[in-house]
Amino acid sequence: MNAHLEDDIFDDDRHHHSHRSRRDASRARRPKRRGRTAVALLLAVAVIAGGGYLAFGSLRGIVPSFGSDAVEDFAGPGAGQVEITVEEGATGSDIGSALEEAGVVKSSGAFVQAAAAEPDKAAKIQPGTYELKKEMKASDAFTWLADNANRVAQGVTIPEGLWAVEIYERLSKATKIPVARYEAAATSEQLKLPTEAGGSIEGWLFPSTYEFPKDSTPVQQLDTMIAKTQEELQKADVPRARWERTLTVASIVEGESGAADRGKVARVVENRLADPTGPTVGMLQMDSTIHYLLKKRGTITTSDKERESDSPYNTYKNKGLPPGPINNPGAAAIEAAADPEPGKWIFFVTVDPDTGETKFATTTAQHERNVQEFCRNTGSCE
């Protein structure tokens, strides 16, 4: 994720970021304020966000001391070592402040000037933990941060559609923190789980690649993932009142569909729910909910015995949606659940598990023909 600064950040009627001294570069944005001084504007540089560039060049001519020796700087090269965390959403002044407070650079302004002189390199700064020396020359510290190979924290990738228990295992493997601590964190009162979740974290751990600071706790890590889920729901224009429902539908979509079919699967879910007298009499009849109930991987079908459970997650016996999400869906599934593809489909079946080809049907007769094709391709219906 690249650092980014919009030119209009220096317009008094637009967004500004204020200077803060803290070790970790914060993602928090600052309220609007008028009458900024040139120095304050100089410090309001880069936002670590998705895509874009750092328009440090736009500072030339605005700040009288730009490019001068007006700011304090160490001679370098520095000694010792200290870790600095650049968080997603941090501004350039946040980064400079963290460096100054940790004793890496003599002043935040020196770091900002160094970055402003090389906007292309500044655009390469990414969130993460970096190990630097104390009393470095600001330009050296900037160059170090602009090299992603210098990040200390190792990323952990969480794929779409994992259950929470599977996510804890992946996190534990990457961080060496016991799974039990993640399980405890999931029910901790300190966890910032939205009230819409009803106390259950399933579905709220957004799949992505994360670089957590080495000293971050399980609660902090899970909070980061929960916050990302909320961001994705907002991007999809989902009202808060429908957050949990949307994640539940999205999790079924994630568990059932191929990448090209998510919008259609979401429509099938909605069509079945909307027709209590239709072919499925209001039941979803989704194998993915049974797989979640049994915590079973490696198959796309279920047996008659497996569908006998009285669990509310058995959508072959219970009408409507299951009690909550059955996995942790990604952005594409959330978007599909928020805005399903128009259509009258009631059925679907993956006729070729090897290629993921899925066929949709509006009648029982059409669906039966598709099922027979699945049987011929897999030989599993005999």
Side-chain angles (χ1 to χ4, degrees), residues 210-371:
Y210 296 92
E211 281 194 1
F212 300 114
K214 291 199 301 184
D215 59 350
S216 62
T217 67
V219 167
Q220 291 170 332
Q221 293 171 21
L222 298 185
D223 276 343
T224 297
M225 301 175 75
I226 292 169
K228 184 64 175 173
T229 295
Q230 294 179 72
E231 289 178 14
E232 293 300 327
L233 288 166
Q234 291 166 352
K235 286 181 183 178
D237 294 324
V238 180
R240 286 193 70 117
R242 294 179 67 85
W243 277 5
E244 180 76 355
R245 185 190 188 281
T246 299
L247 287 177
T248 301
V249 174
S251 69
I252 294 173
V253 170
E254 196 73 81
E256 293 280 347
S257 65
D261 302 319
R262 290 186 176 95
K264 290 184 178 180
V265 172
R267 177 54 62 192
V268 169
V269 170
E270 296 297 349
N271 286 346
R272 289 186 181 185
L273 292 175
D275 192 357
T277 61
T280 66
V281 292
M283 290 186 289
L284 293 182
Q285 298 182 350
M286 298 290 178
D287 291 331
S288 58
T289 65
I290 303 295
H291 296 157
Y292 177 72
L293 169 63
L294 301 175
K295 293 297 184 289
K296 181 180 179 180
R297 294 288 191 191
T299 180
I300 61 173
T301 60
T302 54
S303 66
D304 291 339
K305 183 177 181 180
E306 289 171 337
R307 295 192 292 269
E308 291 176 358
S309 171
D310 292 327
S311 167
Y313 284 95
N314 183 357
T315 54
Y316 281 89
K317 275 193 173 184
N318 299 282
K319 294 185 178 183
L321 289 169
I326 59 170
N327 57 50
N328 293 270
I334 291 174
E335 291 170 4
D339 187 20
E341 187 170 334
K344 297 182 179 181
W345 308 288
I346 297 294
F347 304 98
F348 67 92
V349 59
T350 301
V351 296
D352 190 340
D354 292 334
T355 65
E357 180 185 3
T358 301
K359 291 190 175 181
F360 293 78
T362 58
T363 67
T364 301
Q366 289 175 336
H367 180 58
E368 285 300 325
R369 289 195 292 271
N370 293 338
V371 169

Side-chain angles (χ1 to χ4, degrees), residues 48-284:
I48 304 297
Y53 62 95
L54 282 168
F56 283 109
S58 63
L59 288 172
R60 298 181 186 276
I62 296 177
V63 182
S65 63
F66 183 89
S68 72
D69 296 326
V71 294
E72 295 183 299
D73 197 0
F74 289 126
Q81 61 183 36
V82 62
E83 286 188 354
I84 293 293
T85 297
V86 175
E87 295 191 18
E88 184 176 335
T91 66
S93 62
D94 288 330
I95 299 171
S97 296
L99 294 170
E100 180 182 344
E101 186 170 329
V104 175
V105 299
K106 195 166 187 178
S107 68
S108 175
F111 171 79
V112 169
Q113 280 195 359
E118 299 186 75
D120 291 339
K121 185 181 290 186
K124 298 178 181 179
I125 297 178
Q126 294 189 7
T129 300
Y130 299 78
E131 192 174 88
L132 300 96
K133 299 176 182 178
K134 288 198 171 188
E135 299 188 3
M136 296 179 70
K137 189 174 179 61
S139 59
D140 292 342
F142 164 70
T143 298
W144 188 262
L145 291 178
D147 186 348
N148 295 325
N150 293 326
R151 285 185 292 178
V152 175
Q154 297 299 313
V156 53
T157 298
I158 306 299
E160 292 87 348
L162 292 187
W163 305 317
V165 293
E166 294 173 316
I167 291 176
Y168 303 152
E169 292 171 355
R170 284 184 178 253
L171 291 173
S172 177
K173 184 177 180 180
T175 65
K176 310 307 178 185
I177 297 174
V179 169
R181 288 189 57 190
Y182 287 102
E183 293 173 339
T187 58
S188 170
E189 293 182 356
Q190 297 178 336
L191 195 70
K192 297 176 183 177
L193 190 65
T195 56
E196 289 80 6
S200 174
I201 201 172
E202 193 75 82
W204 290 87
L205 300 175
F206 189 77
S208 184
T209 296
Y210 296 92
E211 281 194 1
F212 300 114
K214 291 199 301 184
D215 59 350
S216 62
T217 67
V219 167
Q220 291 170 332
Q221 293 171 21
L222 298 185
D223 276 343
T224 297
M225 301 175 75
I226 292 169
K228 184 64 175 173
T229 295
Q230 294 179 72
E231 289 178 14
E232 293 300 327
L233 288 166
Q234 291 166 352
K235 286 181 183 178
D237 294 324
V238 180
R240 286 193 70 117
R242 294 179 67 85
W243 277 5
E244 180 76 355
R245 185 190 188 281
T246 299
L247 287 177
T248 301
V249 174
S251 69
I252 294 173
V253 170
E254 196 73 81
E256 293 280 347
S257 65
D261 302 319
R262 290 186 176 95
K264 290 184 178 180
V265 172
R267 177 54 62 192
V268 169
V269 170
E270 296 297 349
N271 286 346
R272 289 186 181 185
L273 292 175
D275 192 357
T277 61
T280 66
V281 292
M283 290 186 289
L284 293 182

